[in-house]
Amino acid sequence: MSDKIVLLDGHSLLNRAFYGIPLLTNSAGVHTNAVYGFLNILFKILDEEQAQYLAVAFDLHAPTFRHKRYEAYKGTRHAMPDELREQVPLMKNMLTAMGVPLMMLEGYEADDLIGTISRKAEEQDLDVRIISGDRDLLQLASDRTMVRIPKTKKSGTEVEDYYAKDVQERYLVTPEEFIQVKALMGDASDNIPGIPGVGEKTATKIIAQYHSIDNAHDHLDEIKPARAQASLRDYWEDAKLSEWLAAIDRNAPFELDFDKARLDKDHAALYTQEALDLCRELELRTMVSRFLANMEDTPAIQPQAKERPCCVLTPDRGAAEAGPIGEYLAGLQGGGEDPEVEKALTKASEADRFGLQILYENGIIAGAAIALEEEDIFIARPSASSLVRLVKNARHIAMIDMKEQLNVLDDGNGFAPDEQSLFFDAAIGAYLLNPLQGVYSYDAVMKTYAGQFVPSQAELMGKRGIAEIAALAYEDPSVLPSGAKKTRDSSGPQDPGSAMDALVRFACLQAQTALKTEDKIRETLAEEGMEKLFDTIEMPLVFVLYHMQKEGILVRADELKEYGEKLTGRIAELEADIYRQAGQEFNINSPKQLGQVLFEDLHLPYGKKTKTGYSTAADVLEKLAEEYPIVADILEYRQLTKLKSTYADGLSAYISEDGRIHGKFNQTITATGRISSTDPNLQNIPVRTELGRELRRVFVPKEGSKFVDADYSQIELRVLAHVSGDENLIRAYNSAEDIHAITASEVFHVPLEEVTPQLRRNAKAVNFGIVYGISSFGLSQGLSITRKEAAEFIEQYFRTFPGIKAFLDSAVAGAKEKGYSETLYGRRRPIPELKESNFMRRSFGERVAMNAPIQGTAADIIKIAMVGVDRSLRAKNLKSRLVLQVHDELLVEADEDEIGQVQEIIRREMEGAADMKVRLEIDMHTGNSWYEAH
């Protein structure tokens, strides 16, 4: 087999990647999606081709020989978006760091250089692979040159492959004739004129018959249709010019040093330290992992902090040898508290502050790291009592992702406000400063706020978790949960010594990060006006969420099972009815089969054909459900099967030995500041249908208690009334009447007593839609009215409430100017979409600018209420506890003897959470299940 060279069309692939992958940025706001997508394509191709040579061609920002003859060449192209333009030098730097030759020559396009080098490569007996999103390069396909056209999507990269025979099969002309087709039809993207009245179909037909425009011109009288004949006669010069413009120059004065383009076996030389550092800087975590897995030598971390002294208190077992983390002090005695541990804890408690990280997994404390100003201390498998004592004596503690570690530090009574004030969480601070980042790992926080690169968890431990690494480090399998299988991961530690080293470094780096970044994070929070938000809302909330997770919520497992069986029966009934109405059995869960049955076999209307078949999305089916019972049954089937799999079956896996679900509440996930719920997601239990609401019956209070459920009434609309200052909306709320009926009366000029249910529904849709920047199209879909009627509704609404329109316009204008929106409490939400050149993304940004201040303020208010409720219950030494938060709703498990006090606390804290121009109101109920209380 011959050797092979891969030639990439740089700008074309960057462009494909940019539009194929949603915008990504690192924590510094640098866009990275095109670089990430390009690297994905590059490595996919290299993995498939196993080539021996590689080079990448780029256009230069300078006129080419084509521009000199035809000034309008490519004159219709839009300017490159700024978000893409900034990634071009990043990509070139990345390729240079990987040792990949860049092909560029002033006066010539990348296509010309690829064409020239592909010819020379064939002459040197090399097979050629050209990778480009530009189909103009199909003219280079031959028996030895394959043109590969990737399609970049979020789900992955698909590639179309073309040898010469494939071009002819697909386009009915040879690669050389491909140029001739362009000469006739032109190319709008390159502003190649072609000749008038001849499109792709006619051009292809002419060239397939005559093989060139010259031969076609020689047989002018035979050309059909007559319009094409006249055009070829009258615009012959344009055709020749177009032929010249479309042809790739395969004799450009460019030489590639094939020795420099040569790849080593397995392409290991591409994975350089310099390129790895760039991946880290751009925060391309998937690429960092790939580089680490393929690098021949363990990489250094550059730039990195000078190695700190580290005292490691660990049994003399497998890790007694000094390593890169410093000197080990072996020989913990076990039984009681070791004097060395006591000495370390005393030293930490006497410091003004220290960083702390506890390695806690599966109920096992694998270790704890204490970062002081000049040194680190690692304690192997400390007792929980010693760590609780450390907290009780501490002056100030900096941590990162502290909520999941609080279980170890809790003396059993939770955390009072004075104890809470001891703590700082670097991840919470980093989230407030950049809520779009998504990941607030210690290595990302250290890079952003201390300017240092440190190895990530994956670099230290591979794919293994703390418990598995600890089991290896301590040579103690009891650390692993029962039945757990060890991960086969060649990138992680392989022996007790290296596992111990990884464990220590991992813990110490997290403690260091919290300690080293606190000042910078606090300084930046103060500069951006969010220090009070951090200290009075977000940090206290960490403890509230911890308390809720610890309490959990009781679930009747037997009733959950019965609920699942009830669903199974109804699902079977629906399945039988659907098959009967369809006249056949098919896979209801297959969109392709379902689309065929509905729109081809049953000939239902509104069928929208896509590349993969008919769309069976909910919006399509909902149009049909009222008229066609089979569609209504399908929608119900979908809902019930989701209820069955996600909740009836899924929830049972989360029930702990105490009969309660201890889910996680997250405060660094959403950009607006809302709390999210995972493992399981209890915020997403359906409430729109009775069967969905029935699920809430299985959630019950413990014996001797009842649930007290409180839900804010229309909190986002009340926030809108306050921030807009609209007098009519404020008056409507403060009149304590039905807000939607009042809105209908005002907007549609109908006396309040004559407002019909339909008018009220319309007003309600507009009221809530305005908060989310609804368009006339969106409202028309929701109300099943014309777009014109919807536009009139909205226009009349804004005439009635002019303050709202003024507020929304100013919110968008302000966000465009500042780059972010802001809540009443100073929470910022960056909106990079407002600066995008893409209209759809920019429009999305405008809707976010309208909604984020409202939704974010509402999120802040519910958090203030949660902190108030939790603290008040504990301050009064009540047994009752806050157990659940779902958006604007709080659920308290109240002792039966304390219900009156609990209701008083909830009303005071929720209704008094904010001082606004309109009253905050709640709906509150009690019950023996979540269903009864809501």
Side-chain angles (χ1 to χ4, degrees):
M1 291 179 62
S2 299
D3 283 352
K4 190 185 301 177
I5 185 170
V6 170
L7 301 173
L8 282 82
D9 184 353
H11 276 106
S12 172
L13 296 182
L14 271 178
N15 198 65
R16 281 289 173 107
F18 177 77
Y19 287 107
I21 297 176
L23 281 182
L24 303 172
T25 60
N26 68 357
S27 53
V30 176
H31 289 89
T32 59
N33 61 320
V35 174
Y36 174 70
F38 188 105
L39 289 173
N40 270 334
I41 294 170
L42 172 62
F43 289 128
K44 174 183 173 66
I45 296 298
L46 290 179
D47 288 345
E48 290 176 358
E49 296 292 353
Q50 293 299 307
Q52 288 72 41
Y53 299 89
L54 172 67
V56 182
F58 283 96
D59 295 318
L60 291 174
H61 189 62
T64 67
F65 67 88
R66 294 179 179 86
H67 292 93
K68 290 175 182 177
R69 178 173 171 183
Y70 183 60
E71 191 175 342
Y73 179 62
K74 293 192 175 180
T76 54
R77 286 201 173 182
H78 296 296
M80 185 183 293
D82 292 340
E83 302 89 352
L84 174 55
R85 182 181 290 106
E86 73 179 39
Q87 297 184 66
V88 175
L90 294 178
M91 192 67 247
K92 290 179 178 178
N93 291 342
M94 181 71 74
L95 292 167
T96 300
M98 293 168 67
V100 178
L102 304 184
M103 304 194 301
M104 297 175 287
L105 182 63
E106 189 167 327
Y108 291 83
E109 295 180 63
D111 292 5
D112 301 316
L113 306 185
I114 291 172
T116 298
I117 299 307
S118 65
R119 174 184 60 78
K120 291 181 177 181
E122 282 198 19
E123 290 170 357
Q124 295 185 35
D125 197 30
L126 294 177
D127 289 333
V128 181
R129 299 291 181 266
I130 295 171
I131 318 301
S132 175
D134 185 354
R135 294 181 186 271
D136 288 349
L137 283 146
L138 291 175
Q139 64 185 271
L140 302 178
S142 71
D143 292 340
R144 299 198 62 173
T145 295
M146 177 195 286
V147 179
R148 309 196 67 190
I149 300 178
K151 294 181 179 179
T152 307
K153 301 177 180 177
K154 190 175 181 180
S155 58
T157 301
E158 301 172 1
V159 183
E160 295 177 9
D161 295 334
Y162 293 92
Y163 282 113
K165 62 181 177 58
D166 302 307
V167 175
Q168 185 149 19
E169 183 178 320
R170 169 76 183 272
Y171 293 97
L172 307 178
V173 294
T174 67
E176 294 80 8
E177 292 169 354
F178 202 76
I179 305 166
Q180 306 297 310
V181 172
K182 280 288 182 77
L184 295 179
M185 64 177 278
D187 186 340
S189 64
D190 287 343
N191 204 27
I192 296 174
I195 60 175
V198 176
E200 182 176 4
K201 188 175 180 181
T202 301
T204 301
K205 186 176 179 181
I206 290 171
I207 297 304
Q209 183 174 356
Y210 297 102
H211 308 295
S212 72
I213 61 171
D214 287 325
N215 194 35
H217 193 259
D218 289 343
H219 295 78
L220 195 59
D221 294 342
E222 302 171 12
I223 299 297
K224 293 180 181 178
R227 183 177 58 180
Q229 181 186 117
S231 189
L232 184 58
R233 180 184 62 244
D234 297 341
Y235 293 92
W236 173 242
E237 292 302 323
D238 284 354
K240 291 300 288 182
L241 172 64
S242 299
E243 177 190 28
W244 182 82
L245 289 170
I248 291 173
D249 186 346
R250 306 199 69 177
N251 293 288
F254 180 82
E255 295 293 335
L256 173 67
D257 187 333
F258 279 83
D259 288 338
K260 290 184 179 179
R262 189 165 187 90
L263 298 168
D264 61 338
K265 187 179 180 183
D266 298 326
H267 311 145
L270 294 174
Y271 300 98
T272 66
Q273 179 68 50
E274 187 181 355
L276 172 62
D277 290 341
L278 281 173
C279 288
R280 284 197 178 108
E281 184 178 337
L282 296 176
E283 297 170 14
L284 303 177
R285 291 180 176 82
T286 303
M287 289 302 152
V288 168
S289 299
R290 183 180 181 109
F291 270 72
L292 291 169
N294 285 277
M295 293 178 78
E296 293 181 334
D297 301 317
T298 303
I301 309 298
Q302 298 292 339
Q304 71 181 101
K306 185 178 179 183
E307 199 68 64
R308 289 158 52 93
C310 183
C311 173
V312 181
L313 304 175
T314 180
D316 187 11
R317 187 163 51 200
E321 182 181 327
I325 53 174
E327 182 182 356
Y328 290 102
L329 299 179
L332 293 188
Q333 296 170 17
E337 295 300 345
D338 188 277
E340 291 294 341
V341 172
E342 288 301 308
K343 193 187 300 181
L345 297 179
T346 300
K347 187 173 185 179
S349 62
E350 291 175 349
D352 289 337
R353 64 177 178 176
F354 59 86
L356 177 65
Q357 179 67 32
I358 302 165
L359 302 181
Y360 179 72
E361 192 172 280
N362 302 314
I364 301 290
I365 306 173
I370 298 170
L372 301 171
E373 293 298 337
E374 300 298 332
E375 68 170 335
D376 299 326
I377 301 168
F378 179 85
I379 305 170
R381 303 177 80 167
S383 66
S385 61
S386 66
L387 295 175
V388 170
R389 195 162 60 252
L390 172 64
V391 170
K392 296 293 183 186
N393 295 324
R395 299 176 186 176
H396 183 72
I397 305 170
M399 301 179 74
I400 187 166
D401 290 325
M402 59 183 277
K403 176 163 63 71
E404 305 311 322
Q405 304 169 58
L406 290 177
N407 193 53
V408 177
L409 304 176
D410 189 351
D411 63 2
N413 299 311
F415 294 86
D418 60 331
E419 292 176 304
Q420 296 174 17
S421 63
L422 291 173
F423 291 88
F424 166 85
D425 190 328
I428 300 297
Y431 161 71
L432 281 183
L433 293 171
N434 186 359
L436 301 184
Q437 187 173 328
V439 177
Y440 305 93
S441 56
Y442 69 89
D443 52 309
V445 173
M446 184 73 103
K447 184 183 86 66
T448 303
Y449 298 102
Q452 294 177 354
F453 288 108
V454 295
S456 66
Q457 180 176 354
E459 291 173 60
L460 294 172
M461 298 184 173
K463 296 178 181 178
R464 287 179 276 184
I466 293 169
E468 189 174 344
I469 295 292
L472 177 60
Y474 299 126
E475 299 182 87
D476 182 0
S478 68
V479 174
L480 278 173
S482 177
K485 293 182 179 180
K486 293 184 178 179
T487 306
R488 293 186 178 181
D489 181 13
S490 59
S491 64
Q494 304 299 314
D495 58 79
S498 60
M500 192 68 206
D501 183 72
L503 208 62
V504 173
R505 293 191 78 190
F506 175 59
C508 288
L509 284 171
Q510 293 192 84
Q512 283 178 35
T513 297
L515 184 68
K516 289 182 176 182
T517 61
E518 178 175 1
D519 288 346
K520 181 63 177 176
I521 288 173
R522 280 199 170 277
E523 177 188 325
T524 312
L525 285 169
E527 288 172 357
E528 298 193 2
M530 288 192 286
E531 194 168 26
K532 184 178 179 182
L533 173 68
F534 176 80
D535 287 329
T536 64
I537 299 180
E538 291 295 339
M539 279 303 300
L541 184 70
V542 175
F543 297 91
V544 178
L545 298 182
Y546 161 69
H547 292 150
M548 288 167 58
Q549 288 181 186
K550 183 182 178 185
E551 291 297 328
I553 186 168
L554 187 63
V555 178
R556 286 183 177 154
D558 54 343
E559 290 186 17
L560 182 62
K561 185 179 178 183
E562 289 174 14
Y563 179 77
E565 290 169 353
K566 184 177 178 182
L567 289 176
T568 300
R570 178 58 183 151
I571 289 167
E573 289 175 10
L574 285 167
E575 197 173 62
D577 281 347
I578 291 166
Y579 292 158
R580 178 182 53 76
Q581 293 173 82
Q584 60 182 296
E585 291 191 7
F586 63 99
N587 183 355
I588 304 170
N589 295 311
S590 165
K592 188 173 182 178
Q593 291 185 36
L594 179 61
Q596 182 172 329
V597 168
L598 294 180
F599 301 113
E600 291 189 4
D601 300 346
L602 298 179
H603 305 292
L604 269 56
Y606 308 128
K608 292 194 294 188
K609 195 82 180 274
T610 67
K611 289 183 180 178
T612 56
Y614 289 95
S615 171
T616 59
D619 62 331
V620 175
L621 298 189
E622 282 165 3
K623 289 181 185 177
L624 299 164
E626 200 167 316
E627 285 189 61
Y628 300 95
I630 186 174
V631 180
D633 288 344
I634 288 164
L635 286 172
E636 186 182 354
Y637 173 89
R638 280 184 176 177
Q639 185 184 50
L640 298 192
T641 52
K642 184 175 181 180
L643 274 174
K644 176 77 167 62
S645 60
T646 305
Y647 298 107
D649 298 337
L651 287 178
S652 60
Y654 291 101
I655 301 176
S656 301
E657 291 180 6
D658 61 0
R660 301 173 80 91
I661 287 178
H662 299 270
K664 288 185 179 179
F665 297 95
N666 312 296
Q667 66 186 112
T668 62
I669 301 296
T670 68
T672 58
R674 276 194 162 192
I675 298 164
S676 68
S677 166
T678 53
D679 302 326
N681 182 358
L682 294 177
Q683 293 184 338
N684 209 29
I685 291 176
V687 292
R688 291 185 178 179
T689 64
E690 180 57 30
L691 201 50
R693 287 192 293 273
E694 282 281 329
L695 181 59
R696 291 190 172 202
R697 290 189 187 278
V698 308
F699 295 91
V700 295
K702 64 187 176 185
E703 190 174 346
S705 297
K706 286 184 180 293
F707 277 150
V708 179
D709 185 287
D711 198 350
Y712 274 119
S713 172
Q714 302 165 352
I715 187 170
E716 291 187 356
L717 274 176
R718 293 173 189 271
V719 169
L720 176 61
H722 175 80
V723 296
S724 69
D726 185 273
E727 293 179 3
N728 291 336
L729 190 57
I730 291 170
R731 190 185 314 114
Y733 262 115
N734 288 337
S735 67
E737 297 286 345
D738 180 337
I739 185 65
H740 302 310
I742 291 175
T743 300
S745 174
E746 294 275 356
V747 170
F748 303 120
H749 304 297
V750 174
L752 186 60
E753 61 275 10
E754 295 180 19
V755 170
T756 64
Q758 183 60 52
L759 285 178
R760 185 185 181 279
R761 276 195 297 273
N762 290 351
K764 183 177 180 180
V766 179
N767 265 332
F768 287 117
I770 290 297
V771 174
Y772 293 91
I774 198 168
S775 65
S776 58
F777 174 75
L779 185 62
S780 70
Q781 295 283 298
L783 295 179
S784 299
I785 58 177
T786 68
R787 200 163 174 177
K788 183 180 179 183
E789 288 174 314
E792 288 171 357
F793 281 4
I794 294 173
E795 190 177 329
Q796 183 58 42
Y797 183 93
F798 284 141
R799 279 199 294 267
T800 305
F801 303 114
I804 294 178
K805 181 73 166 82
F807 165 74
L808 295 176
D809 289 346
S810 67
V812 173
K816 284 181 176 178
E817 180 184 344
K818 297 182 293 187
Y820 60 86
S821 66
E822 205 165 4
T823 71
L824 282 181
Y825 298 89
R827 181 186 304 278
R828 293 185 179 185
R829 201 281 196 196
I831 314 178
E833 295 89 351
L834 289 171
K835 295 182 179 178
E836 288 197 32
S837 54
N838 180 278
F839 174 78
M840 295 298 290
R841 290 178 177 172
R842 197 166 61 251
S843 298
F844 169 76
E846 290 175 358
R847 291 194 297 275
V848 170
M850 296 177 199
N851 173 249
I854 302 165
Q855 193 178 97
T857 296
D860 290 339
I861 290 171
I862 191 73
K863 287 178 176 180
I864 292 168
M866 291 171 70
V867 171
V869 169
D870 184 65
R871 286 184 169 180
S872 294
L873 293 174
R874 292 172 185 278
K876 289 183 177 292
N877 292 316
L878 300 183
K879 300 173 188 175
S880 305
R881 291 290 179 260
L882 179 62
V883 294
L884 195 60
Q885 182 265 357
V886 179
H887 306 312
D888 306 327
E889 172 190 359
L890 298 184
L891 187 69
V892 173
E893 187 176 55
D895 187 275
E896 288 181 346
D897 296 332
E898 300 171 352
I899 288 176
Q901 289 175 281
V902 168
Q903 289 174 324
E904 182 184 334
I905 287 171
I906 290 174
R907 188 169 298 281
R908 182 184 71 241
E909 298 298 340
M910 290 185 74
E911 294 187 346
D915 182 15
M916 299 197 302
K917 296 168 186 172
V918 295
R919 292 187 299 272
L920 286 176
E921 294 184 2
I922 61 170
D923 298 316
M924 185 159 52
H925 306 278
T926 62
N928 292 314
S929 69
W930 190 10
Y931 178 90
E932 286 184 14
H934 186 64

